[in-house]
Amino acid sequence: MELSTGRASALGALIADTFLEARARWLFWGLFGLSTLLICIFLFVLKIDVVAGAITLMGIQSTTKQVFDIQRFVNTSYSWVSIVLYIWGTLLAVFASAGLVPSVLEAGRISLLLSKPLTRTRLLLGRYLGNLSVVALNHIYLICSVWLIIGVKTKIWEPRFLLAIPISIFIFAVLLCVVVLIGVISESAALSVMIAVALMLISTILAQYENVVKLLSSEWSRQLWMAFYWLIPKVYDLGVAMKQLILYDRQANWIAPLWTSAAFGIVVLSTAVMVFRRRDF
Amino acid sequence: MAADYAIQTDGIEKIYRSRFRGREIRAVSNLSLNVPVGSKFGLLGPNGAGKTTFVKMLLSVVTPTAGRAVLFGKDARDPEARRPVGYLPENHRFPTYLTGRGMLDFYAALSGLAASERKKRIPEYLELVGLSNWGEIRIKKYSKGMLQRLGLAQALIHKPKLLVLDEPTDGVDPVGRREIRDILNGLTGTGVTVFINSHLLSEVEAFCQYVAILRQGELVLEGKVSSLVAERGVRVRATDVPDTALAEIRRLGGTISPLPDGVQVQVVTRQEANAVIDAIRAAGGMIESVAASSSSLEDVFIRAMETGKAA
């Protein structure tokens, strides 16, 4: 892929360069290869006739209720599959993208980039968007493929399953802000992965606040737990909300996790830009 | 109004502080320099003198601790000030996954060149640096000299008004060095200002009109090359000169430099040269050559390093 084929702006050039680097480092193919593997596993699993299997398993008789229950069963399957794809896709994406920020900060490479008539903000955002685009393409490929497979097999097309695409891309975009910040500060891909994955786990633990705060004895510890809960991106909550949305659950709570995670991402990315603008190379 | 100077720095300074101990290292100290538009300017200095830090401050890669840099009348911190600049960094690391063509395309796009213009210029500039047949090959296959020439094409492709080259011939063999010099000589008369940061004195002497010499971050000498090397004299080379004659030669005003097969004596006047020749012959030495000489930039540089100023 050459940039000269298109009328690429400087930002476009930076995004395209991230693609080229991801391809050259086998990250692009690695992501798509592993996604294809998961798709193949789904194909294999669904060779068992899901609809027939469901009928057998649930002992459903041929009544009007049967259609509703099969729909319900497939939707439940869709929701669980979306969770698998959400976790799988996010983890892989974090691993794949961690090295793409430190690589651009290598001495001899960054000084030439900074000598160009670009602001540092644009330079970093170009890299961020390039990274996000690579992962977004992979998410679209993975989730659409699985949706097609389930749809063809069950003849039940649940468009809400496709909500997994924007939600997975969104949560990755938030975690990528952390990867960029750590990359800009430490130039360490390994540390970026460690912290992003740790945030995913911490988010899961903090999300159990309803059970945990009851066990905490002091008010300040309960408030501290809740403060951390609101501070950290809601990887777990958004996964749960996605599952509920696919199940048409009216209790789905996605607005608060969405805006608090977005706020976290904006603050972290702004900090990364600020650090990057002040750094000497 | 067009600016008279391509580069102007006013008391620019860079102090690095270690993160934990708070120790300070003054890389560049209160440096004021004016580089006229269209000139060829060489920045000299030993390793660690602050040359690269100075260049990085010009291009906003490093933020000055004090003072300011101006490019063509615009503050160097403004990205637009860097639009007319072509830069070839020292120890560059071009993305090895790109082909020569792709690399030029990428950096030209970042320099603001439109796609149609890039398409037209890339073959021209690959040809200019003798890499026409290598455009489609990934640059990880390139030799050091080829990378340097490609880097030069990258610095030139958007037709900059100021070319900043940091050790452009470092690690390049003599043939490659000659090729780079020829490309740079081709810029003569185009109005492009060339700013070379180098420790290869002979190259700077051959190419530049102006030089500045840095020592430990401080400007110790600045001026026209022709003025600095104007000091003339006579150089006598001789063999079989006994040690006993050396003291007499020194007394006569000669500066002695040992050679593998004898000595070289530098004197200022013809009278001194004749006296030295007489002394060598009287001691049984053989005169190998006598030549008029001018002070080389190397002599000027060494004196500047020793005394902190030109002799």
Side-chain angles (χ1 to χ4, degrees):
Chain A
M1 181 164 68
E2 298 292 348
L3 297 171
S4 53
T5 53
R7 188 176 272 274
S9 64
L11 193 66
L14 288 164
I15 293 172
D17 181 59
T18 315
F19 263 88
L20 289 174
E21 184 171 349
R23 197 180 65 173
R25 286 168 165 245
W26 289 86
L27 297 172
F28 193 81
W29 301 122
L31 262 182
F32 276 79
L34 287 168
S35 296
T36 306
L37 180 71
L38 193 65
I39 292 163
C40 291
I41 291 170
F42 270 103
L43 265 175
F44 178 76
V45 168
L46 288 174
K47 269 183 84 73
I48 306 162
D49 193 322
V50 171
V51 180
I55 292 166
T56 310
L57 280 171
M58 298 168 81
I60 299 165
Q61 299 305 311
S62 57
T63 60
T64 317
K65 193 168 176 282
Q66 178 189 335
V67 180
F68 172 77
D69 284 338
I70 291 169
Q71 172 84 44
R72 178 80 190 163
F73 174 76
V74 172
N75 272 11
T76 307
S77 305
Y78 267 124
S79 69
W80 280 106
V81 169
S82 73
I83 289 288
V84 171
L85 298 184
Y86 176 75
I87 297 168
W88 170 276
T90 307
L91 271 175
L92 281 187
V94 165
F95 280 108
S97 58
L100 291 173
V101 171
S103 72
V104 90
L105 302 179
E106 286 174 344
R109 185 168 174 190
I110 187 66
S111 51
L112 184 54
L113 289 171
L114 292 176
S115 75
K116 300 296 174 188
L118 295 170
T119 60
R120 289 189 179 203
T121 305
R122 181 172 284 234
L123 188 60
L124 197 65
L125 288 182
R127 200 68 179 169
Y128 174 85
L129 290 175
N131 231 321
L132 191 59
S133 310
V134 171
V135 169
L137 263 185
N138 177 64
H139 279 12
I140 291 168
Y141 165 68
L142 175 64
I143 293 166
C144 284
S145 301
V146 172
W147 182 63
L148 282 172
I149 291 167
I150 299 176
V152 167
K153 197 71 192 169
T154 63
K155 306 287 186 292
I156 296 170
W157 300 89
E158 178 47 72
R160 285 205 169 199
F161 177 71
L162 296 177
L163 280 173
I165 295 174
I167 293 174
S168 300
I169 293 172
F170 171 77
I171 205 65
F172 171 71
V174 173
L175 292 172
L176 184 59
C177 298
V178 177
V179 168
V180 169
L181 175 64
I182 305 300
V184 165
I185 293 171
S186 70
E187 295 181 30
S188 165
L191 188 64
S192 303
V193 170
M194 276 164 59
I195 293 178
V197 172
L199 274 179
M200 290 175 75
L201 295 175
I202 291 168
S203 143
T204 308
I205 297 166
L206 290 172
Q208 314 309 317
Y209 64 88
E210 282 181 356
N211 299 321
V212 176
V213 289
K214 283 184 235 163
L215 304 173
L216 295 171
S217 55
S218 60
E219 183 57 26
W220 72 265
S221 55
R222 280 192 287 272
Q223 283 183 357
L224 189 66
W225 186 280
M226 290 312 292
F228 275 119
Y229 169 75
W230 286 111
L231 198 69
I232 299 292
K234 315 285 179 295
V235 183
Y236 177 86
D237 299 59
L238 276 169
V240 171
M242 177 180 70
K243 188 166 161 281
Q244 289 171 324
L245 284 170
I246 292 170
L247 287 170
Y248 291 84
D249 185 343
R250 290 186 179 181
Q251 304 294 314
N253 174 23
W254 58 275
I255 295 174
L258 191 79
W259 78 258
T260 51
S261 301
F264 174 88
I266 290 166
V267 169
V268 170
L269 191 60
S270 305
T271 310
V273 168
M274 207 174 68
V275 172
F276 185 58
R277 286 175 63 171
R278 294 168 69 121
R279 259 196 75 175
D280 290 332
F281 292 95
Chain B
M1 195 180 81
D4 294 330
Y5 296 104
I7 299 170
Q8 283 176 287
T9 63
D10 181 18
I12 205 166
E13 197 161 280
K14 183 65 191 178
I15 300 168
Y16 289 107
R17 291 184 180 88
S18 66
R19 201 170 286 179
F20 300 110
R21 292 183 183 175
R23 208 173 130 239
E24 288 188 352
I25 296 166
R26 198 172 283 265
V28 173
S29 189
N30 193 28
L31 181 49
S32 298
L33 205 63
N34 292 323
V35 177
V37 168
S39 65
K40 295 169 180 172
F41 199 103
L43 184 64
L44 300 172
N47 293 335
K51 305 188 298 290
T52 296
T53 303
F54 178 73
V55 166
K56 285 183 172 180
M57 284 194 286
L58 293 181
L59 300 169
S60 281
V61 178
V62 163
T63 310
T65 310
R68 71 192 281 252
V70 173
L71 303 175
F72 296 105
K74 279 188 183 162
D75 193 308
R77 289 170 299 181
D78 178 358
E80 280 308 306
R82 301 194 291 274
R83 195 169 291 283
V85 180
Y87 174 46
L88 177 62
E90 184 188 21
N91 300 325
H92 48 69
R93 287 191 68 157
F94 303 129
T96 52
Y97 49 85
L98 295 175
T99 61
R101 175 182 288 274
M103 182 270 212
L104 289 185
D105 196 47
F106 174 57
Y107 287 110
L110 294 187
S111 298
L113 221 56
S116 56
E117 199 58 33
R118 298 202 299 271
K119 210 167 185 175
K120 205 172 77 187
R121 286 194 203 173
I122 288 169
E124 283 173 28
Y125 280 84
L126 281 171
E127 169 121 30
L128 176 75
V129 296
L131 293 172
S132 290
N133 297 329
W134 286 78
E136 303 306 327
I137 293 172
R138 284 196 182 188
I139 60 177
K140 67 179 170 191
K141 307 267 186 204
Y142 285 29
S143 68
K144 170 81 183 171
M146 289 161 74
L147 279 175
Q148 211 66 0
R149 280 184 281 147
L150 186 68
L152 201 53
Q154 167 278 135
L156 289 167
I157 194 161
H158 57 292
K159 297 190 175 165
K161 290 196 290 175
L162 168 64
L163 190 59
V164 178
L165 307 171
D166 197 349
E167 305 287 2
T169 55
D170 202 22
V172 180
D173 63 32
V175 177
R177 229 178 278 171
R178 175 68 177 271
E179 286 166 348
I180 289 173
R181 206 181 312 141
D182 288 346
I183 295 166
L184 295 180
N185 282 328
L187 297 172
T188 304
T190 58
V192 175
T193 309
V194 183
F195 186 90
I196 296 185
N197 180 358
S198 178
H199 59 259
L200 293 175
L201 302 169
S202 56
E203 287 191 359
V204 171
E205 183 174 358
F207 183 73
C208 293
Q209 299 155 318
Y210 299 89
V211 289
I213 299 177
L214 292 188
R215 189 184 69 162
Q216 292 172 358
E218 290 183 1
L219 181 67
V220 289
L221 184 66
E222 184 195 355
K224 275 193 161 185
V225 175
S226 55
S227 308
L228 294 172
V229 300
E231 186 191 318
R232 296 192 173 278
V234 179
R235 195 170 283 163
V236 179
R237 295 183 70 173
T239 51
D240 302 327
V241 182
D243 290 346
T244 49
L246 297 179
E248 174 66 5
I249 293 168
R250 282 197 192 94
R251 195 186 62 75
L252 292 169
T255 304
I256 300 166
S257 311
L259 296 173
D261 57 346
V263 291
Q264 176 179 285
V265 182
Q266 176 76 39
V267 289
V268 177
T269 65
R270 278 192 304 166
Q271 288 78 8
E272 283 173 352
N274 278 303
V276 166
I277 290 167
D278 289 345
I280 291 171
R281 296 194 62 189
M286 296 291 289
I287 302 297
E288 298 295 334
S289 66
V290 178
S293 72
S294 61
S295 178
S296 67
L297 191 58
E298 187 175 338
D299 300 327
V300 175
F301 179 80
I302 298 290
R303 281 199 294 269
M305 285 302 107
E306 286 170 354
T307 63
K309 59 183 181 185

